[in-house]
Amino acid sequence: MKKLIIMALCVLSTFSVAAQNKVQWGIEVGAGLSTWMGKNADGSKPLFNHKVGVTMDIPLNWLVSFQTGLNWASKGASYKMYNDFVTGTNTFSTVHANQNYFQMPLLAAFHVAATRNFDMVFTVGPYIAYGVSGQSETDVDALTMSWATFDDLYLGGKYISDGYNRFDAGVQTGVGLDFKDWTLGLDADFGFCKIAPGASPYNFSMYFTVGYKF
């Protein structure tokens, strides 16, 4: 976690110093859906989630800019889980798994003049993320169980399952409208790292975003 924060600060400070007269800072909020993808994602269903963060846009020429920042991004999905460790029978319940990350995008942004009032912006590039918090919750008969998503699950001292992997990385792509002071966009994250040890799926999320530029 400390290494990720240090690396993020170094990237932000380096580009800020290198292009201090051109950098455009902003804030951004987004809402949308997250789920899991891959061959081991069968049965998972999307959850409504959000993200919020600070953005930075550094023009490289009239067409391309470098975009980065630091986001608080909520991801996760719902899935079915056996309850035999609680009830002693092979019954199912629905688990809602929430994963909260600090996430840094490293994007190439292509600006295409659409009208006199705004540009169309197409973005693509990698992201890196670190899981900082999250809760998984399920109802078993009249009992509600919750546990920390990124921690191993124990019940009465008995090991049940591994916690999720905290590190995540993948590709982010998006399209948006860039006005003088505001931005509107649609972003999608495709995770390349398994969410948990062993045979497990990957993160996928999509957010509608609104940003304000300083």
mmCIF file of all heavy atoms in Angstrom, residues 27-32 51 67 119-123 172-179 182-188 206-212:
data_model
loop_
_atom_site.group_PDB
_atom_site.id
_atom_site.type_symbol
_atom_site.label_atom_id
_atom_site.label_comp_id
_atom_site.label_asym_id
_atom_site.label_seq_id
_atom_site.Cartn_x
_atom_site.Cartn_y
_atom_site.Cartn_z
ATOM 1 N N ILE A 27 -12.053 17.562 -10.635
ATOM 2 C CA ILE A 27 -12.652 16.527 -9.792
ATOM 3 C C ILE A 27 -13.699 15.801 -10.626
ATOM 4 O O ILE A 27 -14.267 16.367 -11.560
ATOM 5 C CB ILE A 27 -13.285 17.115 -8.513
ATOM 6 C CG1 ILE A 27 -14.326 18.187 -8.859
ATOM 7 C CG2 ILE A 27 -12.219 17.667 -7.585
ATOM 8 C CD1 ILE A 27 -15.095 18.691 -7.648
ATOM 9 N N GLU A 28 -13.941 14.540 -10.275
ATOM 10 C CA GLU A 28 -14.852 13.726 -11.076
ATOM 11 C C GLU A 28 -15.623 12.773 -10.180
ATOM 12 O O GLU A 28 -15.073 12.199 -9.239
ATOM 13 C CB GLU A 28 -14.046 12.935 -12.109
ATOM 14 C CG GLU A 28 -14.877 12.115 -13.081
ATOM 15 C CD GLU A 28 -14.009 11.394 -14.090
ATOM 16 O OE1 GLU A 28 -13.364 10.388 -13.707
ATOM 17 O OE2 GLU A 28 -13.950 11.837 -15.256
ATOM 18 N N VAL A 29 -16.900 12.619 -10.454
ATOM 19 C CA VAL A 29 -17.720 11.631 -9.762
ATOM 20 C C VAL A 29 -18.397 10.765 -10.822
ATOM 21 O O VAL A 29 -18.693 11.225 -11.930
ATOM 22 C CB VAL A 29 -18.779 12.288 -8.853
ATOM 23 C CG1 VAL A 29 -18.114 13.050 -7.723
ATOM 24 C CG2 VAL A 29 -19.703 13.207 -9.644
ATOM 25 N N GLY A 30 -18.607 9.503 -10.481
ATOM 26 C CA GLY A 30 -19.220 8.585 -11.435
ATOM 27 C C GLY A 30 -20.089 7.558 -10.735
ATOM 28 O O GLY A 30 -19.897 7.257 -9.548
ATOM 29 N N ALA A 31 -21.056 7.032 -11.452
ATOM 30 C CA ALA A 31 -21.944 5.989 -10.937
ATOM 31 C C ALA A 31 -22.225 5.016 -12.071
ATOM 32 O O ALA A 31 -22.312 5.409 -13.241
ATOM 33 C CB ALA A 31 -23.241 6.584 -10.409
ATOM 34 N N GLY A 32 -22.360 3.752 -11.715
ATOM 35 C CA GLY A 32 -22.613 2.751 -12.747
ATOM 36 C C GLY A 32 -22.717 1.363 -12.169
ATOM 37 O O GLY A 32 -23.161 1.178 -11.028
ATOM 38 N N LYS A 51 -17.625 5.897 -8.173
ATOM 39 C CA LYS A 51 -16.238 6.300 -8.001
ATOM 40 C C LYS A 51 -16.183 7.815 -7.870
ATOM 41 O O LYS A 51 -17.071 8.530 -8.343
ATOM 42 C CB LYS A 51 -15.356 5.818 -9.158
ATOM 43 C CG LYS A 51 -15.535 6.546 -10.481
ATOM 44 C CD LYS A 51 -14.471 6.081 -11.475
ATOM 45 C CE LYS A 51 -14.595 6.807 -12.816
ATOM 46 N NZ LYS A 51 -13.521 6.404 -13.760
ATOM 47 N N GLN A 67 -3.693 11.712 -19.381
ATOM 48 C CA GLN A 67 -4.636 11.872 -18.278
ATOM 49 C C GLN A 67 -4.321 10.875 -17.171
ATOM 50 O O GLN A 67 -4.105 9.687 -17.431
ATOM 51 C CB GLN A 67 -6.081 11.673 -18.759
ATOM 52 C CG GLN A 67 -6.568 12.765 -19.690
ATOM 53 C CD GLN A 67 -8.036 12.620 -20.045
ATOM 54 O OE1 GLN A 67 -8.692 11.641 -19.700
ATOM 55 N NE2 GLN A 67 -8.573 13.616 -20.737
ATOM 56 N N ASP A 119 -15.274 19.213 -27.261
ATOM 57 C CA ASP A 119 -14.517 18.197 -27.991
ATOM 58 C C ASP A 119 -15.048 16.818 -27.628
ATOM 59 O O ASP A 119 -15.535 16.599 -26.507
ATOM 60 C CB ASP A 119 -13.032 18.238 -27.620
ATOM 61 C CG ASP A 119 -12.328 19.474 -28.144
ATOM 62 O OD1 ASP A 119 -12.916 20.169 -28.994
ATOM 63 O OD2 ASP A 119 -11.203 19.732 -27.689
ATOM 64 N N MET A 120 -14.922 15.891 -28.566
ATOM 65 C CA MET A 120 -15.080 14.473 -28.265
ATOM 66 C C MET A 120 -13.719 13.957 -27.816
ATOM 67 O O MET A 120 -12.703 14.236 -28.450
ATOM 68 C CB MET A 120 -15.548 13.693 -29.486
ATOM 69 C CG MET A 120 -16.975 13.986 -29.898
ATOM 70 S SD MET A 120 -18.180 13.171 -28.801
ATOM 71 C CE MET A 120 -17.875 11.446 -29.175
ATOM 72 N N VAL A 121 -13.696 13.207 -26.710
ATOM 73 C CA VAL A 121 -12.433 12.701 -26.178
ATOM 74 C C VAL A 121 -12.521 11.180 -26.046
ATOM 75 O O VAL A 121 -13.451 10.651 -25.431
ATOM 76 C CB VAL A 121 -12.114 13.319 -24.808
ATOM 77 C CG1 VAL A 121 -10.765 12.803 -24.299
ATOM 78 C CG2 VAL A 121 -12.092 14.839 -24.896
ATOM 79 N N PHE A 122 -11.542 10.494 -26.630
ATOM 80 C CA PHE A 122 -11.451 9.035 -26.548
ATOM 81 C C PHE A 122 -10.205 8.680 -25.737
ATOM 82 O O PHE A 122 -9.103 9.176 -26.035
ATOM 83 C CB PHE A 122 -11.372 8.426 -27.947
ATOM 84 C CG PHE A 122 -12.533 8.775 -28.830
ATOM 85 C CD1 PHE A 122 -12.498 9.917 -29.626
ATOM 86 C CD2 PHE A 122 -13.677 7.987 -28.849
ATOM 87 C CE1 PHE A 122 -13.578 10.251 -30.440
ATOM 88 C CE2 PHE A 122 -14.760 8.320 -29.650
ATOM 89 C CZ PHE A 122 -14.709 9.446 -30.445
ATOM 90 N N THR A 123 -10.372 7.863 -24.714
ATOM 91 C CA THR A 123 -9.262 7.526 -23.822
ATOM 92 C C THR A 123 -9.017 6.028 -23.795
ATOM 93 O O THR A 123 -9.952 5.233 -23.887
ATOM 94 C CB THR A 123 -9.530 8.012 -22.390
ATOM 95 O OG1 THR A 123 -10.754 7.435 -21.909
ATOM 96 C CG2 THR A 123 -9.638 9.530 -22.335
ATOM 97 N N GLN A 172 -8.306 0.605 -18.963
ATOM 98 C CA GLN A 172 -9.474 1.482 -18.916
ATOM 99 C C GLN A 172 -9.655 2.144 -20.269
ATOM 100 O O GLN A 172 -8.685 2.590 -20.887
ATOM 101 C CB GLN A 172 -9.301 2.550 -17.840
ATOM 102 C CG GLN A 172 -10.471 3.539 -17.767
ATOM 103 C CD GLN A 172 -10.310 4.556 -16.661
ATOM 104 O OE1 GLN A 172 -9.939 4.221 -15.531
ATOM 105 N NE2 GLN A 172 -10.553 5.826 -16.983
ATOM 106 N N THR A 173 -10.865 2.196 -20.725
ATOM 107 C CA THR A 173 -11.182 2.872 -21.970
ATOM 108 C C THR A 173 -12.433 3.708 -21.775
ATOM 109 O O THR A 173 -13.264 3.404 -20.906
ATOM 110 C CB THR A 173 -11.377 1.867 -23.122
ATOM 111 O OG1 THR A 173 -11.601 2.561 -24.351
ATOM 112 C CG2 THR A 173 -12.545 0.944 -22.846
ATOM 113 N N GLY A 174 -12.580 4.763 -22.569
ATOM 114 C CA GLY A 174 -13.740 5.613 -22.376
ATOM 115 C C GLY A 174 -13.951 6.586 -23.522
ATOM 116 O O GLY A 174 -13.117 6.735 -24.412
ATOM 117 N N VAL A 175 -15.095 7.242 -23.462
ATOM 118 C CA VAL A 175 -15.432 8.276 -24.419
ATOM 119 C C VAL A 175 -16.160 9.376 -23.653
ATOM 120 O O VAL A 175 -16.896 9.098 -22.691
ATOM 121 C CB VAL A 175 -16.317 7.721 -25.559
ATOM 122 C CG1 VAL A 175 -17.625 7.149 -25.023
ATOM 123 C CG2 VAL A 175 -16.593 8.793 -26.607
ATOM 124 N N GLY A 176 -15.932 10.635 -24.045
ATOM 125 C CA GLY A 176 -16.561 11.709 -23.303
ATOM 126 C C GLY A 176 -16.694 12.990 -24.098
ATOM 127 O O GLY A 176 -16.224 13.101 -25.239
ATOM 128 N N LEU A 177 -17.359 13.945 -23.475
ATOM 129 C CA LEU A 177 -17.519 15.290 -24.022
ATOM 130 C C LEU A 177 -16.766 16.250 -23.117
ATOM 131 O O LEU A 177 -16.978 16.261 -21.891
ATOM 132 C CB LEU A 177 -19.001 15.681 -24.078
ATOM 133 C CG LEU A 177 -19.933 14.749 -24.851
ATOM 134 C CD1 LEU A 177 -21.365 15.281 -24.790
ATOM 135 C CD2 LEU A 177 -19.481 14.590 -26.288
ATOM 136 N N ASP A 178 -15.891 17.049 -23.708
ATOM 137 C CA ASP A 178 -15.052 17.974 -22.959
ATOM 138 C C ASP A 178 -15.480 19.406 -23.245
ATOM 139 O O ASP A 178 -15.199 19.961 -24.306
ATOM 140 C CB ASP A 178 -13.587 17.748 -23.362
ATOM 141 C CG ASP A 178 -12.624 18.567 -22.519
ATOM 142 O OD1 ASP A 178 -13.090 19.248 -21.580
ATOM 143 O OD2 ASP A 178 -11.411 18.532 -22.795
ATOM 144 N N PHE A 179 -16.196 20.006 -22.282
ATOM 145 C CA PHE A 179 -16.612 21.398 -22.377
ATOM 146 C C PHE A 179 -15.547 22.295 -21.737
ATOM 147 O O PHE A 179 -14.521 21.809 -21.258
ATOM 148 C CB PHE A 179 -17.963 21.595 -21.697
ATOM 149 C CG PHE A 179 -19.091 20.832 -22.331
ATOM 150 C CD1 PHE A 179 -19.367 19.529 -21.942
ATOM 151 C CD2 PHE A 179 -19.872 21.422 -23.323
ATOM 152 C CE1 PHE A 179 -20.410 18.826 -22.525
ATOM 153 C CE2 PHE A 179 -20.916 20.726 -23.905
ATOM 154 C CZ PHE A 179 -21.178 19.416 -23.504
ATOM 155 N N TRP A 182 -16.581 21.725 -17.833
ATOM 156 C CA TRP A 182 -17.196 20.464 -17.425
ATOM 157 C C TRP A 182 -16.822 19.336 -18.371
ATOM 158 O O TRP A 182 -16.470 19.570 -19.524
ATOM 159 C CB TRP A 182 -18.724 20.595 -17.394
ATOM 160 C CG TRP A 182 -19.232 21.578 -16.396
ATOM 161 C CD1 TRP A 182 -19.432 22.923 -16.573
ATOM 162 C CD2 TRP A 182 -19.610 21.309 -15.049
ATOM 163 N NE1 TRP A 182 -19.903 23.507 -15.439
ATOM 164 C CE2 TRP A 182 -20.021 22.539 -14.472
ATOM 165 C CE3 TRP A 182 -19.634 20.148 -14.267
ATOM 166 C CZ2 TRP A 182 -20.455 22.636 -13.157
ATOM 167 C CZ3 TRP A 182 -20.066 20.249 -12.954
ATOM 168 C CH2 TRP A 182 -20.473 21.478 -12.421
ATOM 169 N N THR A 183 -16.931 18.130 -17.872
ATOM 170 C CA THR A 183 -16.770 16.944 -18.716
ATOM 171 C C THR A 183 -17.890 15.952 -18.413
ATOM 172 O O THR A 183 -18.370 15.858 -17.277
ATOM 173 C CB THR A 183 -15.423 16.245 -18.479
ATOM 174 O OG1 THR A 183 -15.339 15.799 -17.115
ATOM 175 C CG2 THR A 183 -14.260 17.165 -18.797
ATOM 176 N N LEU A 184 -18.305 15.231 -19.420
ATOM 177 C CA LEU A 184 -19.242 14.115 -19.291
ATOM 178 C C LEU A 184 -18.615 12.913 -19.969
ATOM 179 O O LEU A 184 -18.008 13.051 -21.039
ATOM 180 C CB LEU A 184 -20.590 14.449 -19.952
ATOM 181 C CG LEU A 184 -21.384 15.630 -19.404
ATOM 182 C CD1 LEU A 184 -22.597 15.899 -20.295
ATOM 183 C CD2 LEU A 184 -21.835 15.344 -17.978
ATOM 184 N N GLY A 185 -18.754 11.742 -19.364
ATOM 185 C CA GLY A 185 -18.083 10.602 -19.974
ATOM 186 C C GLY A 185 -18.672 9.262 -19.588
ATOM 187 O O GLY A 185 -19.528 9.148 -18.707
ATOM 188 N N LEU A 186 -18.186 8.244 -20.274
ATOM 189 C CA LEU A 186 -18.508 6.852 -19.996
ATOM 190 C C LEU A 186 -17.195 6.083 -19.993
ATOM 191 O O LEU A 186 -16.497 6.045 -21.007
ATOM 192 C CB LEU A 186 -19.465 6.281 -21.047
ATOM 193 C CG LEU A 186 -19.788 4.787 -20.934
ATOM 194 C CD1 LEU A 186 -20.503 4.497 -19.615
ATOM 195 C CD2 LEU A 186 -20.639 4.328 -22.120
ATOM 196 N N ASP A 187 -16.837 5.484 -18.847
ATOM 197 C CA ASP A 187 -15.585 4.744 -18.696
ATOM 198 C C ASP A 187 -15.871 3.276 -18.424
ATOM 199 O O ASP A 187 -16.866 2.937 -17.771
ATOM 200 C CB ASP A 187 -14.756 5.287 -17.526
ATOM 201 C CG ASP A 187 -14.400 6.752 -17.699
ATOM 202 O OD1 ASP A 187 -14.297 7.198 -18.860
ATOM 203 O OD2 ASP A 187 -14.220 7.439 -16.674
ATOM 204 N N ALA A 188 -14.978 2.420 -18.890
ATOM 205 C CA ALA A 188 -15.071 0.987 -18.614
ATOM 206 C C ALA A 188 -13.710 0.469 -18.182
ATOM 207 O O ALA A 188 -12.685 0.810 -18.789
ATOM 208 C CB ALA A 188 -15.554 0.225 -19.842
ATOM 209 N N MET A 206 -18.255 -0.261 -15.177
ATOM 210 C CA MET A 206 -18.585 0.792 -16.134
ATOM 211 C C MET A 206 -19.264 1.931 -15.376
ATOM 212 O O MET A 206 -20.173 1.693 -14.567
ATOM 213 C CB MET A 206 -19.512 0.252 -17.226
ATOM 214 C CG MET A 206 -19.858 1.251 -18.318
ATOM 215 S SD MET A 206 -20.827 0.492 -19.659
ATOM 216 C CE MET A 206 -19.577 -0.565 -20.392
ATOM 217 N N TYR A 207 -18.778 3.160 -15.606
ATOM 218 C CA TYR A 207 -19.289 4.317 -14.877
ATOM 219 C C TYR A 207 -19.655 5.456 -15.839
ATOM 220 O O TYR A 207 -18.898 5.750 -16.768
ATOM 221 C CB TYR A 207 -18.233 4.863 -13.906
ATOM 222 C CG TYR A 207 -17.632 3.873 -12.961
ATOM 223 C CD1 TYR A 207 -16.429 3.249 -13.261
ATOM 224 C CD2 TYR A 207 -18.236 3.573 -11.740
ATOM 225 C CE1 TYR A 207 -15.843 2.348 -12.389
ATOM 226 C CE2 TYR A 207 -17.665 2.675 -10.858
ATOM 227 C CZ TYR A 207 -16.466 2.067 -11.192
ATOM 228 O OH TYR A 207 -15.891 1.178 -10.318
ATOM 229 N N PHE A 208 -20.784 6.092 -15.589
ATOM 230 C CA PHE A 208 -21.093 7.391 -16.189
ATOM 231 C C PHE A 208 -20.493 8.451 -15.273
ATOM 232 O O PHE A 208 -20.699 8.415 -14.062
ATOM 233 C CB PHE A 208 -22.603 7.593 -16.313
ATOM 234 C CG PHE A 208 -23.258 6.701 -17.319
ATOM 235 C CD1 PHE A 208 -23.895 5.528 -16.918
ATOM 236 C CD2 PHE A 208 -23.236 7.016 -18.664
ATOM 237 C CE1 PHE A 208 -24.489 4.698 -17.842
ATOM 238 C CE2 PHE A 208 -23.827 6.193 -19.606
ATOM 239 C CZ PHE A 208 -24.462 5.034 -19.195
ATOM 240 N N THR A 209 -19.748 9.391 -15.834
ATOM 241 C CA THR A 209 -19.010 10.349 -15.005
ATOM 242 C C THR A 209 -19.367 11.801 -15.355
ATOM 243 O O THR A 209 -19.725 12.126 -16.481
ATOM 244 C CB THR A 209 -17.498 10.169 -15.172
ATOM 245 O OG1 THR A 209 -17.129 10.439 -16.538
ATOM 246 C CG2 THR A 209 -17.074 8.754 -14.806
ATOM 247 N N VAL A 210 -19.224 12.648 -14.342
ATOM 248 C CA VAL A 210 -19.341 14.098 -14.487
ATOM 249 C C VAL A 210 -18.135 14.719 -13.805
ATOM 250 O O VAL A 210 -17.794 14.358 -12.668
ATOM 251 C CB VAL A 210 -20.626 14.649 -13.854
ATOM 252 C CG1 VAL A 210 -20.686 16.156 -13.980
ATOM 253 C CG2 VAL A 210 -21.857 14.018 -14.497
ATOM 254 N N GLY A 211 -17.448 15.632 -14.511
ATOM 255 C CA GLY A 211 -16.266 16.260 -13.936
ATOM 256 C C GLY A 211 -16.327 17.760 -14.017
ATOM 257 O O GLY A 211 -16.987 18.335 -14.892
ATOM 258 N N TYR A 212 -15.618 18.404 -13.104
ATOM 259 C CA TYR A 212 -15.497 19.858 -13.112
ATOM 260 C C TYR A 212 -14.020 20.215 -13.155
ATOM 261 O O TYR A 212 -13.217 19.686 -12.381
ATOM 262 C CB TYR A 212 -16.145 20.480 -11.871
ATOM 263 C CG TYR A 212 -15.988 21.990 -11.799
ATOM 264 C CD1 TYR A 212 -16.750 22.815 -12.612
ATOM 265 C CD2 TYR A 212 -15.046 22.568 -10.930
ATOM 266 C CE1 TYR A 212 -16.601 24.195 -12.570
ATOM 267 C CE2 TYR A 212 -14.898 23.938 -10.884
ATOM 268 C CZ TYR A 212 -15.677 24.751 -11.706
ATOM 269 O OH TYR A 212 -15.515 26.108 -11.666
#
